[in-house]
């Protein structure tokens, strides 16, 4: 049998710990037997980030801008413990943060639905995708404890020295105060990424803020979305038969609980942080969640939503058997290969990506799964497989 050919390489970003182990297994058992895999390889494992002074992360993001599609393994974001564990010369920044800043993207997260893992919300029949704005607001705030009586003001000083002031509050006693910001340019990128992704996946998009209370700040988000939609997307949405819908955040929350799913919910930074955890746990598990970073100019980076599964890795290093769920990492590969196929017009590669996903879901539906799913599955007597045996069971079906 001749292998499925690729024309443009994928940017491959290898990572750390248990997901690095899974990464090799997926390539060996699920991809390379069928696909003549072409990748431009970047090792984002922490040791290699250290030895390159983190240049490899920057190089991988630049390669993604050049080639258009990347697949990324989970990576360690160093903290003090990791600095010691790996003997790091400094606490390197989060690779996801670096890549996100360079691609100016929005992160879309959607649950992977499978028979036998039922969402807690009974009417959620199709996935709800969360689109989280990944810049500003409370994540880049400035805050202060107010020690006692006095006046707090917001002061803007223009480059020519002119000032604009707004009273925040006349304090009679102690309290707290916070200032935050966002940028028109970042909100515009967020809006474009959302509209592009909605067209790409043919789903309606909802956006909600608290603009009735935040009449300037949140209202700016609402206006920018509407202006960009009217100017560049209204016609294309009508042709695709999809809708853009704005509502108040409280109304959105109530509607989401009653909805059937199958749409994208665009969220401001904080709302996206909180709501994506709610949506993913209600759908089942973080290991059954796809995540893709989409830049406003249509560059895609696919990854799993979970981390490097450190505890399982330490068991693996001690020679103990693990049962780590590889579904989200498999779907990162299938998503990236399908996108590459679409851009390069490779029908057999697209069909392979579909079959890889079908084989993965069918394996779980037949009762063969990893421990995390067996714990929440409604299937009678599921068979718990090891990390490697689960991947091999998928390979057999494939
Ligand atoms: P984690 O790797 O997501 O794992 C947390 C726990 O969730 C695991 O201990 C495990 O629970 C369960 N879990 C997550 N993924 C699973 C899977 N595929 N299969 C089975 N169970 C799974 O988060 P963490 O342990 O807090 O973080 C580990 C490292 O990952 C950190 O260094 C962090 O910086 C990094 N991280 C990277 C990314 C990224 O690159 N995208 C994202 C988040 C975190 P049990 O132990 O109960 O089985
Ligand atoms: Mg969170």
């Amino acid at each position: 049998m001749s292998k499925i050919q690729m024309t443009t390489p994928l940017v491959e970003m290898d990572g750390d710990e248990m997901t690095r182990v899974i990464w090799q297994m997926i390539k060996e058992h699920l991809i390379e037997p069928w696909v003549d895999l072409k990748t431009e390889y970047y090792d984002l494992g922490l040791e290699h980030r250290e030895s390159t002074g983190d240049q490899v992360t920057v190089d991988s993001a630049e390669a993604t801008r050049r080639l258009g599609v990347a697949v990324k393994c989970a990576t360690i974001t160093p903290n003090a413990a990791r600095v010691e564990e790996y003997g790091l010369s400094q606490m390197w920044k989060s690779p996801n943060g670096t890549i996100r800043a360079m691609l100016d993207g929005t992160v879309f997260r959607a649950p992977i639905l499978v028979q036998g893992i039922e969402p807690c919300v009974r009417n959620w029949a199709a996935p709800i995708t969360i689109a989280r704005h990944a810049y500003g607001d409370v994540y880049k705030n400035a805050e202060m404890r107010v020690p006692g009586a006095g006046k707090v003001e917001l002061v803007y000083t223009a480059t020519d020295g002119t000032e604009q002031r707004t009273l925040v509050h006349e304090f009679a006693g102690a309290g707290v105060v916070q200032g935050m910001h966002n940028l028109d340019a970042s909100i515009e990128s967020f809006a474009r990424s959302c509209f592009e992704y909605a067209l790409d996946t043919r789903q309606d998009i909802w956006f909600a803020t608290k603009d009735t209370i935040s009449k300037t700040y949140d209202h700016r988000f609402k206006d920018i979305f509407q202006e960009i939609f009217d100017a560049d997307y209204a016609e294309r949405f009508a042709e695709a038969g999809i809708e853009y819908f704005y509502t108040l955040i409280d109304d959105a929350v109530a509607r989401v609980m009653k909805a059937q799913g199958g749409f994208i919910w665009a969220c401001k930074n904080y709302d996206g942080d909180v709501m994506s955890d709610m949506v993913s746990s209600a759908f089942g598990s973080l290991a059954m969640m796809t995540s893709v970073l989409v830049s406003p100019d249509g560059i895609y980076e696919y990854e799993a939503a979970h981390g490097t599964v450190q505890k399982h890795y330490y068991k693996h290093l001690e020679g103990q058997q693990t049962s780590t769920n590889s579904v989200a990492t498999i779907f990162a590969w299938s998503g990236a290969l399908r996108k590459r196929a679409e851009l390069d017009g490779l029908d057999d590669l697209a069909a392979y990506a579909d079959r890889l996903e079908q084989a993965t879901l069918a394996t779980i539906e037949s009762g063969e799964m990893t421990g995390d799913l067996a714990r929440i599955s409604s299937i009678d007597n599921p068979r718990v497989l090891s990390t490697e045996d689960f991947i091999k069971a998928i390979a057999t079906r494939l």
Side-chain angles (χ1 to χ4, degrees):
M1 192 183 83
S2 66
K3 289 188 186 179
I4 295 162
Q5 294 299 308
M6 295 177 65
T7 46
T8 317
L10 279 178
V11 177
E12 176 183 353
M13 303 171 174
D14 207 345
D16 289 300
E17 300 195 311
M18 203 58 208
T19 40
R20 188 181 180 97
V21 175
I22 287 174
W23 196 257
Q24 280 312 315
M25 290 178 185
I26 291 173
K27 283 169 65 179
E28 184 188 333
H29 297 295
L30 298 179
I31 303 177
E32 285 165 350
W34 289 280
V35 179
D36 192 9
L37 184 63
K38 279 197 177 67
T39 73
E40 211 171 272
Y41 180 84
Y42 293 86
D43 183 0
L44 267 54
L46 188 49
E47 276 123 353
H48 196 238
R49 275 183 274 149
E50 165 71 20
S51 70
T52 61
D54 209 23
Q55 184 59 36
V56 66
T57 307
V58 173
D59 292 347
S60 73
E62 274 167 2
T64 306
R65 271 220 292 256
R66 175 164 43 83
L67 293 172
V69 186
V71 56
K72 181 180 171 292
C73 181
T75 47
I76 293 168
T77 299
N79 55 14
R82 299 297 200 164
V83 169
E84 187 158 332
E85 182 182 356
Y86 284 82
L88 302 180
S89 58
Q90 55 173 284
M91 206 184 285
W92 302 108
K93 282 194 221 151
S94 150
N96 290 326
T98 303
I99 295 166
R100 215 172 280 163
M102 285 182 66
L103 299 180
D104 187 19
T106 299
V107 178
F108 296 86
R109 292 199 161 167
I112 299 162
L113 298 200
V114 60
Q115 299 279 327
I117 313 288
E118 317 301 343
C120 305
V121 182
R122 273 173 293 135
N123 44 287
W124 285 359
I128 294 168
T129 302
I130 299 276
R132 174 182 170 189
H133 185 209
Y135 180 83
D137 300 351
V138 72
Y139 301 85
K140 281 217 181 280
N141 68 356
E143 42 183 19
M144 217 190 262
R145 271 183 76 167
V146 177
K151 180 168 72 171
V152 176
E153 287 178 298
L154 284 179
V155 183
Y156 161 68
T157 313
T159 42
D160 68 5
T162 52
E163 273 186 8
Q164 221 177 294
R165 282 170 185 266
T166 304
L167 177 70
V168 176
H169 193 65
E170 285 274 1
F171 284 82
V176 282
V177 66
Q178 156 169 275
M180 54 186 197
H181 78 278
N182 221 299
L183 307 170
D184 282 7
S186 178
I187 303 166
E188 282 166 27
S189 294
F190 173 43
R192 285 189 193 282
S193 297
C194 287
F195 293 139
E196 288 291 334
Y197 195 75
L199 282 169
D200 199 42
T201 58
R202 287 194 167 248
Q203 298 184 86
D204 289 348
I205 183 149
W206 300 12
F207 181 45
T209 71
K210 193 70 183 173
D211 66 293
T212 45
I213 299 298
S214 176
K215 291 184 195 308
T216 304
Y217 197 107
D218 278 14
H219 213 280
R220 190 74 195 124
F221 280 78
K222 179 184 178 181
D223 283 348
I224 287 176
F225 265 68
Q226 196 62 50
E227 281 159 21
I228 290 178
F229 181 75
D230 291 343
D232 295 337
Y233 291 95
E235 269 173 48
R236 292 167 70 195
F237 268 51
E239 276 163 29
I242 57 172
E243 248 183 43
Y244 166 57
F245 164 66
Y246 178 87
T247 186
L248 267 182
I249 187 76
D250 2 11
D251 181 47
V253 169
R255 283 171 187 259
V256 161
M257 297 314 281
K258 301 278 181 203
Q260 299 214 306
F263 57 90
I264 301 161
W265 182 9
C267 293
K268 285 180 63 199
N269 209 349
Y270 173 82
D271 298 339
D273 183 351
V274 177
M275 293 306 167
S276 69
D277 284 355
M278 186 197 72
V279 167
S280 69
S281 11
F283 268 108
S285 144
L286 205 56
M288 297 293 284
M289 199 71 183
T290 63
S291 181
V292 56
L293 175 73
V294 182
S295 81
D297 44 354
I299 288 164
Y300 290 75
E301 184 240 288
Y302 293 83
E303 58 180 7
H306 59 76
T308 60
V309 213
Q310 182 181 14
K311 279 190 226 141
H312 295 208
Y313 181 60
Y314 290 159
K315 268 176 75 180
H316 169 81
L317 287 181
E318 285 167 11
Q320 290 183 50
Q321 202 174 66
T322 56
S323 182
T324 312
N325 189 334
S326 48
V327 173
T329 308
I330 293 169
F331 274 62
W333 275 100
S334 57
L337 289 168
R338 185 186 292 107
K339 179 53 72 180
R340 202 57 274 167
E342 195 186 303
L343 296 174
D344 296 344
L346 304 171
D347 293 343
D348 48 354
L349 186 63
Y352 160 81
D354 292 344
R355 282 197 295 270
L356 174 57
E357 292 180 358
Q358 283 157 15
T360 304
L361 299 180
T363 301
I364 299 168
E365 284 167 1
S366 78
E368 296 187 306
M369 59 190 81
T370 46
D372 59 313
L373 293 184
R375 278 198 295 273
I376 57 170
S377 175
S378 60
I379 293 177
D380 290 332
N381 305 315
R383 255 186 81 206
V384 177
L385 301 185
S386 70
T387 307
E388 185 160 22
D389 285 347
F390 177 65
I391 290 172
K392 285 183 174 166
I394 298 169
T396 304
R397 267 172 202 278
L398 194 58

